[in-house]
Amino acid sequence: MNKPLAIKLAPKSLKDVLGQEHLIGKGKILTNLVKNKKLFSMILYGPPGIGKTSIASALVNDLDIRYRMLNATINTKKDIDVVIEEAKMYGEIVLIMDEIHRLNKDKQDILLPQIESGLITLIGMTTSNPYHAINPAIRSRCQLFELHELDQNDILKGLKKAIKHPDLEGIKIDDKTLKMIAKLSGNDLRFAYNLLEIAYYSTDDKIITEEVVKSINSKPVFFSDKNGDGHYDVLSGLQKSIRGSDVDASLHYLARLVTEGDLESIYRRLSVIAYEDIGLANPAIGPRLDAAINAAERTGLPEARIPLGTIVTEMALSPKSNTAHVAFDEALEDIEKGNTGNLPNHLKNVPDSGYKYPHDYPGAFVKQQYLPDKIKNKKYYQPKDIGYEKNIKEIYERLERLKK
């Protein structure tokens, strides 16, 4: 079977790797490891198509080390046993393992002692965040290196190299079309190579134009990983952008989530934001969000984008306050630490307790103790002078003065 062009173009050495200048180049760590002929167990992580496998392969090629490649999802314990036996035979081996975050406990139990002893040097690769997705026992034995997304200039360099490959003999393509492919790739070099190859074989004259490319793919790709960390990173980006009052970034991340079509995740996260980040500064946002969610549910996609875009714009530009949930978290922390105490007798549900009914007093206020003696002077709520909470702060401060 003929290998895809993307595989044939995979770099054989670190010097051929595109991008990742923070790790590769004069004086950089991976280049120095090769220079010093030393390799440590490591995990390479980042979105698809940015060179994780290429870097792993280039490292072992440059160092001329015996290695084996496995996939944590596909390969079995028996496959790992074979690698271990080979390592014992030759004294050491590098194991390049894709989808390292999928490594189950049984496989870890076999592998960990061999990594610990140095018999096996592990190069793990994953699109997931290793701080969340990878077992701490594996993580603690590896150096973690984050790979950065390639930019369009990196993709363009790769494409200009690709059109010189013998597989694309006689290709005719201008810079404008190459730039279009780079833009459509969503910074995924593998995708760019595949699109170029398909475009080449889809013509009868080997002339690739923008129209040819559009007929194959007219929408840019982006890494979302709907069921993985990439998806939750986008949700996190949405929340942090709304919290930071950046309306443009908020709409960008909303657009990525809407493109995935996962409305439920959007609804849940916006509901959290309404109360965690906006809170008492604009308490009307909760009901307004519910109305927007109801409208989105009734209309469905693509029209759901309209109420969602409107409410996210309003949420991003709304005043923000986290005082209520921070205060409640402090109260919960007191409960967890046992910092409570008995209720004052006049609050207990017993007759003749001495409880003063506030509605019998002017302004529905009467001075009496409500917190237990142990924490009677505790102050959880610290109001902010912002949005609607300004009004609440005035009421709070008046009540505090009356108590004194």
Side-chain angles (χ1 to χ4, degrees), residues 295-296 298-309:
R298 280 196 300 271
T299 57
L301 288 171
E303 287 80 6
R305 76 189 191 285
I306 300 169
L308 289 175

PDB file of all heavy atoms in Angstrom, residues 295-296 298-309:
ATOM      1  N   ALA A 295     -34.764  30.041  24.026  1.00  0.00           N
ATOM      2  CA  ALA A 295     -34.893  30.439  22.624  1.00  0.00           C
ATOM      3  C   ALA A 295     -33.989  29.588  21.730  1.00  0.00           C
ATOM      4  O   ALA A 295     -34.391  29.152  20.642  1.00  0.00           O
ATOM      5  CB  ALA A 295     -34.535  31.920  22.466  1.00  0.00           C
ATOM      6  N   ALA A 296     -32.755  29.322  22.203  1.00  0.00           N
ATOM      7  CA  ALA A 296     -31.828  28.495  21.432  1.00  0.00           C
ATOM      8  C   ALA A 296     -32.358  27.073  21.282  1.00  0.00           C
ATOM      9  O   ALA A 296     -32.244  26.459  20.221  1.00  0.00           O
ATOM     10  CB  ALA A 296     -30.456  28.490  22.110  1.00  0.00           C
ATOM     11  N   ARG A 298     -35.527  26.147  21.333  1.00  0.00           N
ATOM     12  CA  ARG A 298     -36.705  26.127  20.458  1.00  0.00           C
ATOM     13  C   ARG A 298     -36.305  26.228  18.991  1.00  0.00           C
ATOM     14  O   ARG A 298     -36.894  25.574  18.131  1.00  0.00           O
ATOM     15  CB  ARG A 298     -37.651  27.276  20.810  1.00  0.00           C
ATOM     16  CG  ARG A 298     -38.528  27.001  22.022  1.00  0.00           C
ATOM     17  CD  ARG A 298     -39.694  27.978  22.087  1.00  0.00           C
ATOM     18  NE  ARG A 298     -39.255  29.363  22.176  1.00  0.00           N
ATOM     19  CZ  ARG A 298     -39.006  29.995  23.319  1.00  0.00           C
ATOM     20  NH1 ARG A 298     -39.137  29.345  24.469  1.00  0.00           N
ATOM     21  NH2 ARG A 298     -38.620  31.255  23.319  1.00  0.00           N
ATOM     22  N   THR A 299     -35.293  27.057  18.720  1.00  0.00           N
ATOM     23  CA  THR A 299     -34.931  27.294  17.318  1.00  0.00           C
ATOM     24  C   THR A 299     -33.966  26.240  16.788  1.00  0.00           C
ATOM     25  O   THR A 299     -34.014  25.882  15.613  1.00  0.00           O
ATOM     26  CB  THR A 299     -34.289  28.677  17.148  1.00  0.00           C
ATOM     27  OG1 THR A 299     -33.145  28.778  18.017  1.00  0.00           O
ATOM     28  CG2 THR A 299     -35.272  29.786  17.504  1.00  0.00           C
ATOM     29  N   GLY A 300     -33.052  25.737  17.656  1.00  0.00           N
ATOM     30  CA  GLY A 300     -32.046  24.785  17.206  1.00  0.00           C
ATOM     31  C   GLY A 300     -31.021  25.464  16.303  1.00  0.00           C
ATOM     32  O   GLY A 300     -31.148  26.637  15.942  1.00  0.00           O
ATOM     33  N   LEU A 301     -29.992  24.699  15.950  1.00  0.00           N
ATOM     34  CA  LEU A 301     -28.974  25.244  15.047  1.00  0.00           C
ATOM     35  C   LEU A 301     -29.478  25.264  13.606  1.00  0.00           C
ATOM     36  O   LEU A 301     -30.250  24.392  13.223  1.00  0.00           O
ATOM     37  CB  LEU A 301     -27.702  24.401  15.148  1.00  0.00           C
ATOM     38  CG  LEU A 301     -26.918  24.566  16.447  1.00  0.00           C
ATOM     39  CD1 LEU A 301     -25.809  23.528  16.537  1.00  0.00           C
ATOM     40  CD2 LEU A 301     -26.340  25.972  16.554  1.00  0.00           C
ATOM     41  N   PRO A 302     -29.125  26.225  12.777  1.00  0.00           N
ATOM     42  CA  PRO A 302     -28.113  27.257  13.037  1.00  0.00           C
ATOM     43  C   PRO A 302     -28.634  28.502  13.753  1.00  0.00           C
ATOM     44  O   PRO A 302     -27.853  29.333  14.195  1.00  0.00           O
ATOM     45  CB  PRO A 302     -27.635  27.621  11.632  1.00  0.00           C
ATOM     46  CG  PRO A 302     -28.858  27.428  10.776  1.00  0.00           C
ATOM     47  CD  PRO A 302     -29.581  26.237  11.353  1.00  0.00           C
ATOM     48  N   GLU A 303     -29.996  28.644  13.884  1.00  0.00           N
ATOM     49  CA  GLU A 303     -30.539  29.882  14.460  1.00  0.00           C
ATOM     50  C   GLU A 303     -30.175  30.055  15.937  1.00  0.00           C
ATOM     51  O   GLU A 303     -30.165  31.176  16.453  1.00  0.00           O
ATOM     52  CB  GLU A 303     -32.057  29.920  14.300  1.00  0.00           C
ATOM     53  CG  GLU A 303     -32.537  30.187  12.884  1.00  0.00           C
ATOM     54  CD  GLU A 303     -32.498  28.947  12.014  1.00  0.00           C
ATOM     55  OE1 GLU A 303     -32.202  27.863  12.539  1.00  0.00           O
ATOM     56  OE2 GLU A 303     -32.751  29.072  10.793  1.00  0.00           O
ATOM     57  N   ALA A 304     -29.879  28.961  16.640  1.00  0.00           N
ATOM     58  CA  ALA A 304     -29.536  29.048  18.067  1.00  0.00           C
ATOM     59  C   ALA A 304     -28.350  29.978  18.299  1.00  0.00           C
ATOM     60  O   ALA A 304     -28.173  30.526  19.393  1.00  0.00           O
ATOM     61  CB  ALA A 304     -29.234  27.657  18.611  1.00  0.00           C
ATOM     62  N   ARG A 305     -27.531  30.165  17.273  1.00  0.00           N
ATOM     63  CA  ARG A 305     -26.360  31.031  17.426  1.00  0.00           C
ATOM     64  C   ARG A 305     -26.772  32.474  17.740  1.00  0.00           C
ATOM     65  O   ARG A 305     -25.986  33.224  18.350  1.00  0.00           O
ATOM     66  CB  ARG A 305     -25.515  30.996  16.146  1.00  0.00           C
ATOM     67  CG  ARG A 305     -26.102  31.797  15.007  1.00  0.00           C
ATOM     68  CD  ARG A 305     -25.393  31.589  13.684  1.00  0.00           C
ATOM     69  NE  ARG A 305     -25.830  32.561  12.682  1.00  0.00           N
ATOM     70  CZ  ARG A 305     -26.998  32.522  12.051  1.00  0.00           C
ATOM     71  NH1 ARG A 305     -27.871  31.556  12.304  1.00  0.00           N
ATOM     72  NH2 ARG A 305     -27.307  33.453  11.166  1.00  0.00           N
ATOM     73  N   ILE A 306     -27.982  32.875  17.331  1.00  0.00           N
ATOM     74  CA  ILE A 306     -28.394  34.282  17.481  1.00  0.00           C
ATOM     75  C   ILE A 306     -28.642  34.627  18.950  1.00  0.00           C
ATOM     76  O   ILE A 306     -28.024  35.558  19.481  1.00  0.00           O
ATOM     77  CB  ILE A 306     -29.622  34.591  16.598  1.00  0.00           C
ATOM     78  CG1 ILE A 306     -29.263  34.342  15.127  1.00  0.00           C
ATOM     79  CG2 ILE A 306     -30.090  36.025  16.805  1.00  0.00           C
ATOM     80  CD1 ILE A 306     -30.449  34.344  14.180  1.00  0.00           C
ATOM     81  N   PRO A 307     -29.547  33.900  19.669  1.00  0.00           N
ATOM     82  CA  PRO A 307     -29.704  34.226  21.090  1.00  0.00           C
ATOM     83  C   PRO A 307     -28.438  33.958  21.892  1.00  0.00           C
ATOM     84  O   PRO A 307     -28.138  34.699  22.852  1.00  0.00           O
ATOM     85  CB  PRO A 307     -30.857  33.318  21.547  1.00  0.00           C
ATOM     86  CG  PRO A 307     -30.973  32.248  20.511  1.00  0.00           C
ATOM     87  CD  PRO A 307     -30.521  32.871  19.237  1.00  0.00           C
ATOM     88  N   LEU A 308     -27.668  32.935  21.526  1.00  0.00           N
ATOM     89  CA  LEU A 308     -26.447  32.644  22.276  1.00  0.00           C
ATOM     90  C   LEU A 308     -25.411  33.749  22.077  1.00  0.00           C
ATOM     91  O   LEU A 308     -24.757  34.184  23.035  1.00  0.00           O
ATOM     92  CB  LEU A 308     -25.869  31.296  21.849  1.00  0.00           C
ATOM     93  CG  LEU A 308     -26.662  30.067  22.283  1.00  0.00           C
ATOM     94  CD1 LEU A 308     -26.057  28.798  21.702  1.00  0.00           C
ATOM     95  CD2 LEU A 308     -26.722  29.969  23.807  1.00  0.00           C
ATOM     96  N   GLY A 309     -25.254  34.223  20.849  1.00  0.00           N
ATOM     97  CA  GLY A 309     -24.319  35.318  20.593  1.00  0.00           C
ATOM     98  C   GLY A 309     -24.725  36.584  21.322  1.00  0.00           C
ATOM     99  O   GLY A 309     -23.874  37.314  21.849  1.00  0.00           O
TER     100      GLY A 309
END
